Amino acid sequence: MSPNDQLGPTVFVIFGGAGDLTGRKLIPALFDLAQDRGLPEHFAIIAVDRIRLGDEALRDRLHLGVNQFSRFGKPKPAAWKQFAGHIHYQQGDFQKLPTYTSLGKQCRKLEKAWGARAHRIFYMATPPSLFGEIPKYLGEAGLAKDREWSRIVIEKPIGYDLASALALNATLAATFTEAQIFRIDHYLGKETVQNILAFRFANPLFEPIWNRRYIDYVTITVAETVGVEHRGGYYDHAGALRDMVQNHLMQLLCLVAMEPMVSFQADEIRNKKVDVLHAIRPIHEDAVSQCAVRGQYGPGTGGGKPVPGYREEEGVAPDSQTETFVAMKLFIDNWRWQDVPFYLRTGKCLPRQASEISIQFRAVPHQSFPPEASLGWQPSRLILSIQPEEGIVLGFQAKYPGAKMQLRPVVMGFNYRESFAAPSPDAYETLLWDVMKSDATLFMRADQVEAAWQLLMPVLQGWQAAPPSDFPNYAAGTWGPEEAQGLLALGHRWPLPTELAPTGRKKGKNG
Ligand code: BG6
């Protein structure tokens, strides 16, 4: 790897350094960054965890993860050896001060050897129960006191509800300033998610019609074919609303609905996003069923094979009331969006993997074509495909060849794979790079997290007060419970599964 001189000396500390996230995501992303962009000349990863492990044993473990998850495939032995030399292990209890004091010593030792001061990044890849603890110890050990040189990284779940999110943010704020805190929502690291801003604000074409005058409704779908896999223990205490809607879907909604930013400054963009959350019409606890539907999958099929129901998954209670599907209808009360419904849905064990935003335009104000010309007529629609397809498709009307005027829907598309030779980095590569550069644009600010919880609290409370009587209410391999249709206004519809593959070309692996 050739060093990258954009970044200064860095010590990257991972709490939970022997854990799953580190092996599957963090180390492969850092390795790929090393290959692609280069890491600083003076760079060290200190993995901290409870288990007894030596440097070599840890490196061997992480090597397996890189073999499996690096986007460059299995690394050449020399490339791995060079990278692995930067990894060190420190055994320690996350709830004991000596762990942090010896971490401080190790950082100072590295700085002495490098002859330079280093940025210190503390990544909490631990169970959420430790999120409130680690910052306190870092503070006590004096590891956070230099505001310019230390940063903390935290992943969702940022709290379990509004009260716990406020408490967690307060704990973080007791030791770190907001500028030092990087809250990860990995959706923001996806190229296609960042492209929403590029598409909306780097092209003058759509902005004039991006409002209630021309847009009838918007749907945001994040559909997964997988069930809860090995994460039943966590998921059964979370559910789809906390796991997906509070963060990933809210981020997508903000990017679609926000006002144009004045500059590309992190806080300018984040202010505009928070404005959206503040403008969403509050949900009343006694009217939850009019704007939110929950579902849980029962036995069904997936990939042509029988799939067990959610309640049969490992780590899930046999009478679990946890939702694996959510559909919502939201309104944004401002000049741009008044009365335009935003329909959101996400679920596990659905028939197709597809994350898509569909912008449905209004019908033409006056239909001047003869009725027989427009039998297949459909109002224009724009689909922003996040994954597995990566691109944008505009559906519009064209004249069908022949003597008569006949209209038919056609599509015009942009596809990342075909338009750009450059491969897309993994979201974690982008995000870890930005942490190292101290660029907070793609990270969640405390007020945004809290505003999202505030909006969803009545739903959580309403659902808790009235447990579902019909779970499981959709079969694995179907598009969720029937009730999700009932959220839609007359004439509105969720995009059909066949429409979710933008250009009708080769579909992704789950397609
Ligand atoms: C995670 C959720 O945040 O996002 C998972 O905890 C979900 O339940 C995952 O499967 C989806 O991410 P992606 O990038 O695969 O769409």
Side-chain angles (χ1 to χ4, degrees):
M1 114 189 163
S2 45
N4 187 311
D5 54 17
Q6 281 182 46
L7 305 169
T10 303
V11 181
F12 199 103
V13 178
I14 307 177
F15 295 104
D20 189 52
L21 179 67
T22 306
R24 250 179 339 105
K25 291 289 182 188
L26 306 184
I27 297 294
L30 288 168
F31 177 80
D32 287 353
L33 278 176
Q35 309 312 304
D36 199 19
R37 303 182 208 182
L39 290 173
E41 185 186 352
H42 297 307
F43 181 73
I45 298 169
I46 306 180
V48 185
D49 220 318
R50 291 168 213 255
I51 59 170
R52 201 175 283 279
L53 211 60
D55 282 356
E56 280 313 319
L58 174 78
R59 290 171 187 160
D60 288 347
R61 224 179 223 241
L62 299 176
H63 193 178
L64 297 177
V66 170
N67 284 345
Q68 201 181 343
F69 299 111
S70 163
R71 73 181 160 94
F72 299 109
K74 233 173 155 175
K76 293 213 169 85
W80 171 253
K81 198 164 170 238
Q82 190 187 21
F83 179 79
H86 296 267
I87 306 175
H88 311 275
Y89 186 68
Q90 185 190 313
Q91 192 205 353
D93 186 330
F94 300 126
Q95 288 170 288
K96 296 238 161 71
L97 190 59
T99 303
Y100 298 83
T101 43
S102 58
L103 190 57
K105 268 191 215 140
Q106 208 176 336
C107 289
R108 285 192 295 277
K109 202 167 125 197
L110 284 164
E111 287 177 331
K112 200 163 165 216
W114 295 339
R117 188 158 189 199
H119 296 277
R120 294 167 184 186
I121 295 168
F122 301 106
Y123 197 114
M124 293 197 277
T126 61
S129 54
L130 289 162
F131 289 173
E133 299 291 314
I134 292 170
K136 285 187 201 157
Y137 286 105
L138 286 169
E140 255 182 80
L143 288 170
K145 63 174 182 275
D146 197 320
R147 309 240 180 268
E148 295 291 313
W149 291 81
S150 59
R151 262 149 267 169
I152 188 155
V153 189
I154 176 169
E155 286 231 20
K156 69 167 252 279
I158 314 285
Y160 182 75
D161 53 16
L162 178 60
S164 53
L166 285 166
L168 178 55
N169 282 336
T171 306
L172 289 165
T175 306
F176 294 90
T177 61
E178 186 60 33
Q180 292 175 281
I181 306 169
F182 289 75
R183 295 179 191 78
I184 288 195
D185 178 321
H186 78 279
Y187 263 59
L188 294 179
K190 293 181 192 273
E191 291 290 322
T192 43
V193 172
Q194 296 174 64
N195 189 46
I196 299 172
L197 286 189
F199 178 74
R200 286 194 57 200
F201 302 132
N203 302 292
L205 205 57
F206 283 97
E207 194 45 28
I209 56 169
W210 206 262
N211 57 51
R212 65 191 302 275
R213 252 187 103 189
Y214 296 97
I215 293 177
D216 191 9
Y217 64 99
V218 176
T219 63
I220 301 178
T221 299
V222 177
E224 297 185 275
T225 49
V226 292
V228 287
E229 299 175 300
H230 53 280
R231 296 163 70 232
Y234 147 77
Y235 193 90
D236 208 32
H237 291 102
L241 195 75
R242 291 185 173 92
D243 186 50
M244 297 294 287
V245 179
Q246 192 272 343
N247 35 77
H248 307 325
L249 276 90
M250 284 296 149
Q251 293 293 342
L252 297 178
L253 172 67
C254 288
L255 291 167
V256 171
M258 67 187 255
E259 293 302 314
M261 62 273 179
V262 174
S263 69
F264 214 71
Q265 298 301 310
D267 270 332
E268 164 62 8
I269 294 176
R270 298 194 295 178
N271 288 343
K272 293 288 191 290
K273 287 165 73 181
V274 180
D275 283 348
V276 174
L277 295 176
H278 288 157
I280 296 178
R281 192 175 300 166
I283 299 164
H284 292 291
E285 207 178 306
D286 48 8
V288 168
S289 61
Q290 288 155 38
C291 49
V293 166
R294 59 188 152 167
Q296 186 192 76
Y297 64 86
T301 51
K305 294 196 193 111
V307 168
Y310 174 70
R311 289 177 177 181
E312 294 153 52
E313 302 271 16
E314 192 192 320
V316 172
D319 56 351
S320 171
Q321 309 279 38
T322 301
E323 80 285 353
T324 59
F325 175 96
V326 175
M328 293 188 79
K329 173 163 68 176
L330 297 173
F331 290 96
I332 300 172
D333 286 336
N334 62 17
W335 277 51
R336 187 188 285 269
W337 295 118
Q338 191 65 41
D339 294 333
V340 175
F342 282 76
Y343 301 109
L344 277 49
R345 67 175 169 167
T346 183
K348 302 243 180 233
C349 280
L350 301 184
R352 285 265 326 272
Q353 187 208 1
S355 297
E356 309 268 357
I357 299 161
S358 155
I359 313 288
Q360 179 64 63
F361 291 97
R362 288 190 187 282
V364 290
H366 169 63
Q367 176 55 281
S368 46
F369 293 95
E372 62 277 14
S374 52
L375 287 178
W377 182 84
Q378 286 170 13
S380 303
R381 184 207 304 238
L382 185 76
I383 295 189
L384 310 176
S385 286
I386 308 297
Q387 63 187 26
E389 283 291 336
E390 298 183 320
I392 297 179
V393 164
L394 178 66
F396 60 98
Q397 299 299 298
K399 181 186 175 298
Y400 189 76
K404 287 195 254 161
M405 171 53 82
Q406 291 216 319
L407 302 175
R408 288 282 186 282
V410 291
V411 292
M412 202 157 73
F414 147 71
N415 184 302
Y416 263 84
R417 216 177 26 234
E418 289 171 6
S419 302
F420 299 124
S424 297
D426 179 74
Y428 275 88
E429 264 175 86
T430 302
L431 296 171
L432 297 186
W433 180 258
D434 284 358
V435 172
M436 288 193 270
K437 281 198 319 181
S438 209
D439 178 351
T441 311
L442 300 179
F443 297 83
M444 300 182 288
R445 214 170 50 189
D447 54 346
Q448 190 187 14
V449 173
E450 290 159 14
W453 278 120
Q454 173 116 36
L455 174 76
L456 297 176
M457 280 318 290
V459 183
L460 286 172
Q461 281 157 353
W463 282 355
Q464 198 182 1
S469 54
D470 59 347
F471 274 11
N473 59 355
Y474 71 97
T478 66
W479 282 98
E482 269 301 303
E483 291 78 4
Q485 298 297 329
L487 287 179
L488 304 171
L490 200 66
H492 294 180
R493 60 187 178 86
W494 298 108
L496 294 170
T498 49
E499 295 167 313
L500 295 174
T503 46
R505 276 187 288 262
K506 195 163 75 62
K507 295 172 187 155
K509 60 180 163 40
N510 295 303

